[in-house]
Amino acid sequence: VQLQACGGGLVQAGGSLSRACAASGLTFSDYAMGWFRQAPGKEREFVARISWSGSTTRYADSVKGRFTISRDNAKNTVYLQMNSLKPEDTAVYYCAAYNSRHTGTRQSQYDYWGQGTLVTVSS
């Protein structure tokens, strides 16, 4: 199983960035997908997750109203659109997949992880 993330980079505060994560080696539509992030010196934290069908989503309070998670099961890809970015959003972002009825808000609930990529928001 591979989760290949792309996107991210450097943006000024108030700007937008998008992330995409392409999955292979699994039946993508069987898995709920999530995004986590880890800021320098901090624990990895939940950002957002989307159900296998895309019908339900859940967000961390810190990103609610600014970030949008979506998926395209035909392309085996999950997306994270990040708007109104703040310096505190600076972190390494990870996509992950899980196949259960859990909430998807804890790292331990996930089966597969992609490599992290850095998003930097300058003030």
Side-chain angles (χ1 to χ4, degrees), residues 1-64:
V1 174
Q2 281 195 327
L3 301 178
Q4 184 70 40
C6 61
L10 173 65
V11 67
Q12 287 190 328
S16 299
L17 279 175
S18 63
R19 299 289 317 283
C21 175
S24 60
L26 77 170
T27 303
F28 185 69
S29 58
D30 286 346
Y31 285 79
M33 300 296 295
W35 289 94
F36 285 73
R37 67 184 182 186
Q38 187 168 18
K42 294 188 177 181
E43 298 287 321
R44 192 176 299 186
E45 64 176 5
F46 168 74
V47 174
R49 75 102 172 108
I50 188 167
S51 62
W52 64 270
S53 66
S55 61
T56 62
T57 57
R58 186 164 182 164
Y59 296 91
D61 288 343
S62 59
V63 306
K64 202 172 293 182

